[in-house]
Amino acid sequence: MLIQNDEKGHVIIGEAALSLALGEKEISIASLFTQLGFMAKSESNADRLTQISEARNWLSSFKSPSLAQQQVPYLRTLAGLNEELN
């Protein structure tokens, strides 16, 4: 899955980021990965579970946060918003 070009992937990651932000938690690749795991545990829709799994697989492909920020500008934006809240 090429999640950068997949609107559903953006939505799933956005949901995870919003949940973290509302809980006043740090938004990072690791926290998004964990939040997506929590979302999967409470999900029963097979299509949505697939989307969550693909989003987690995509996030796990980034070995360092600096690499993710270079390649995925919206993650940098989410991190910046988190810093503004703190």
Side-chain angles (χ1 to χ4, degrees), residues 39-49:
M39 290 167 60
K41 287 181 182 178
S42 63
E43 186 58 58
S44 60
N45 180 295
D47 289 336
R48 194 159 152 84
L49 280 170

Side-chain angles (χ1 to χ4, degrees), residues 1-52:
M1 171 184 176
L2 185 59
I3 200 163
Q4 289 176 319
N5 297 326
D6 184 356
E7 187 174 313
K8 290 180 182 177
H10 288 274
V11 170
I12 294 292
I13 291 175
E15 287 178 31
L18 180 59
S19 179
L20 290 168
L22 291 174
E24 298 183 4
K25 297 178 183 172
E26 176 186 357
I27 299 172
S28 66
I29 291 174
S31 64
L32 286 169
F33 188 85
T34 301
Q35 184 63 31
L36 287 165
F38 292 141
M39 290 167 60
K41 287 181 182 178
S42 63
E43 186 58 58
S44 60
N45 180 295
D47 289 336
R48 194 159 152 84
L49 280 170
T50 299
Q51 293 168 5
I52 292 170

